[in-house]
Amino acid sequence: SRGQIVQFKLSDIGEGITEVTVKEWYIKEGDSVSQFDSICEVQSDKASVTITSVAPEEDVVETPAMSHEEHTHQEIKGHKTLATPAVRRLAMENNIKLSEVIGTGKDNRILKEDILNFLAKQTGAILPPSPKAEIIAPLPKSETVPTAPKDKARKIPVPISRPVVFSGKDKTEPITGFHKAMVKTMSAALKIPHFGYCDEIDLTHLVQLREELKPLAQSRGIKLSFMPFFIKAASLGLLQYPILNSSVDESCQNVTYKASHNIGVAMDTEQGLIVPNVKNVQVSSIFEIASELNRLQALGSAGQLGTNDLTGGTFTLSNIGTIGGTYAKAVILPPEVAIGALGKIQVLPRFNGKGEVFKAQIMNVSWSADHRIIDGATMARFSNLWKSYLENPALMLLDLK
């Protein structure tokens, strides 16, 4: 009734989440709200979620009719398209017709994620702009990336400096958002007995292949990095060593072999470290993987990754090399049982079969595995197979599905 305050409980948004931060309100005081109208967008420690109204237990009283401007329905080609004013504004700013967007919300309601997904798939664009689709250190808004020199081998890394304000006072802040999720995940992860295995990969042939494919990928609206090749090679290796794509229960009595290869990619964002995953890599082409990485990076940069993007991972790769590292002791993300950390690609001298010195594109990889169910020999054999695919990319043609 008018003037009565009704308690609005947080709906079940999965993963046992009981605490969120409100990012944006879609309604204002005095607005009429119907069932399944979007109320607000919230940020949990895992994902961004749109919260809709729910019907009360008692009989629903018919709400007054809303004006044309207040209504979230939009008549298009004879049918109603459901979208909030914020979503319609986002579509208008990007010249997107709502009639062309498939809504994934209740009653086919178009969500902000749907607009971003549509934009990424149609243009391959990153919204907002982001440097790469792997783990990246975000720059302050006032800084720009210097133009890369033509001779990449002689490029000198420039340290990023930020103005420091010294207040002389200690500051205490609560741990929230993705950082709070990291506390929980890493505390559980370090109960796992880790063991490490490292090797170096000669990417000379892959570097040449990527340069040849980049223009073709760009013509399709796709930004092609090395990561899709790393991911696909890992999937081909997991087909041979499925124990690395498994999970174990808490008592370590049962092993579940995962049918899908949902390979996670660590991304460094302004919200913190997030690990979205590319679903069903085992049946995806390298171009499809690249396109999906573009989409995930766009959503990650905008803070719009959904729960589905951030859950269900079965294996993880973390590309620390984009920041500058060579080796890393990666920590497994439970319930997964293995993770790989990829170092930067360096031009180094190596010997060929004739004993001649040549310039090689070398990358180091550091694997971590759950030693309760994975032995060193299995990890080494998987790494050797993964390495062979990357050092001789043509070999992947024999096993691609």
Side-chain angles (χ1 to χ4, degrees):
S1 60
R2 199 174 291 273
Q4 180 183 1
I5 297 177
V6 179
Q7 185 179 24
F8 185 76
K9 295 183 179 180
L10 177 65
S11 58
D12 182 10
I13 57 178
E15 298 290 314
I17 296 171
T18 59
E19 180 180 325
V20 295
T21 301
V22 176
K23 292 179 61 179
E24 181 179 358
W25 287 101
Y26 296 139
I27 59 172
K28 61 182 182 297
E29 186 175 350
D31 284 351
S32 297
V33 179
S34 300
Q35 186 177 1
F36 303 125
D37 277 355
S38 294
I39 302 296
C40 60
E41 183 178 354
V42 299
Q43 178 72 58
S44 71
D45 58 0
K46 294 182 179 295
S48 178
V49 180
T50 298
I51 300 296
T52 60
S53 62
V54 293
E57 293 181 1
E58 60 271 12
D59 294 336
V60 178
V61 179
E62 185 177 353
T63 58
M66 290 184 284
S67 67
H68 178 71
E69 290 76 18
E70 292 175 329
H71 213 291
T72 60
H73 295 25
Q74 190 178 61
E75 293 280 355
I76 295 180
K77 295 182 180 179
H79 68 276
K80 291 182 178 180
T81 297
L82 306 181
T84 64
V87 170
R88 282 187 282 155
R89 183 175 65 251
L90 179 62
M92 181 181 65
E93 290 172 352
N94 290 278
N95 297 317
I96 296 175
K97 295 181 180 179
L98 291 181
S99 59
E100 298 177 354
V101 181
I102 299 175
T104 60
K106 183 69 176 179
D107 295 329
N108 298 321
R109 179 180 296 278
I110 298 175
L111 308 178
K112 185 181 293 185
E113 291 178 359
D114 300 326
I115 299 295
L116 294 171
N117 291 347
F118 180 85
L119 186 64
K121 290 180 179 178
Q122 291 296 313
T123 66
I126 293 179
L127 180 69
S130 181
K132 293 185 179 179
E134 298 110 20
I135 180 169
I136 307 161
L139 296 174
K141 295 181 180 179
S142 60
E143 298 179 11
T144 58
V145 180
T147 303
K150 293 183 179 180
D151 185 359
K152 295 182 180 179
R154 299 180 60 186
K155 182 173 67 175
I156 300 175
V158 179
I160 300 173
S161 61
R162 294 178 172 86
V164 178
V165 178
F166 181 72
S167 65
K169 297 181 180 179
D170 295 343
K171 182 173 67 172
T172 301
E173 294 180 345
I175 299 175
T176 60
F178 292 120
H179 296 287
K180 189 171 184 178
M182 191 184 300
V183 171
K184 180 180 178 180
T185 303
M186 291 299 101
S187 297
L190 291 179
K191 297 177 182 179
I192 299 172
H194 286 56
F195 85 90
Y197 178 86
C198 302
D199 200 358
E200 74 169 32
I201 319 294
D202 184 353
L203 298 180
T204 304
H205 294 309
L206 182 60
V207 169
Q208 296 171 351
L209 176 63
R210 174 176 171 262
E211 285 301 315
E212 295 173 3
L213 294 178
K214 277 173 63 177
L216 177 60
Q218 189 173 3
S219 69
R220 299 185 184 183
I222 298 174
K223 181 179 179 181
L224 182 63
S225 65
F226 288 106
M227 203 59 166
F229 297 95
F230 300 154
I231 291 173
K232 189 60 182 181
S235 177
L236 293 174
L238 294 175
L239 291 173
Q240 301 296 322
Y241 300 96
I243 187 67
L244 294 171
N245 196 59
S246 68
S247 64
V248 292
D249 55 19
E250 291 186 7
S251 59
C252 206
Q253 299 295 315
N254 300 286
V255 179
T256 301
Y257 293 85
K258 302 294 186 177
S260 297
H261 296 173
N262 300 338
I263 299 183
V265 180
M267 294 181 181
D268 185 23
T269 70
E270 293 183 356
Q271 293 81 35
L273 178 66
I274 56 177
V275 190
N277 57 83
V278 180
K279 299 289 194 296
N280 295 309
V281 175
Q282 77 281 359
V283 292
S284 301
S285 69
I286 289 175
F287 275 118
E288 289 170 336
I289 296 169
S291 177
E292 179 66 359
L293 282 175
N294 287 179
R295 184 189 73 85
L296 292 173
Q297 181 61 40
L299 294 176
S301 299
Q304 295 296 325
L305 282 167
T307 304
N308 183 60
D309 294 322
L310 293 166
T311 57
T314 61
F315 187 87
T316 298
L317 294 176
S318 176
N319 194 353
I320 62 168
T322 55
I323 295 179
T326 305
Y327 291 96
K329 185 179 179 181
V331 179
I332 299 166
L333 298 175
E336 298 173 23
V337 296
I339 185 173
L342 313 176
K344 62 183 177 181
I345 300 175
Q346 307 176 82
V347 179
L348 298 173
R350 290 295 183 265
F351 291 96
N352 61 20
K354 299 179 180 179
E356 300 167 337
V357 177
F358 71 100
K359 293 198 318 183
Q361 302 275 356
I362 300 298
M363 181 187 75
N364 299 106
V365 60
S366 307
W367 301 105
S368 293
D370 187 338
H371 215 347
R372 295 174 299 178
I373 62 168
I374 299 173
D375 55 76
T378 300
M379 189 75 252
R381 292 188 181 104
F382 167 84
S383 180
N384 288 339
L385 181 57
W386 182 78
K387 175 179 179 177
S388 69
Y389 285 132
L390 298 177
E391 292 191 337
N392 305 281
L395 292 180
M396 284 197 279
L397 293 176
L398 300 177
D399 296 321
L400 287 177
K401 297 184 183 296

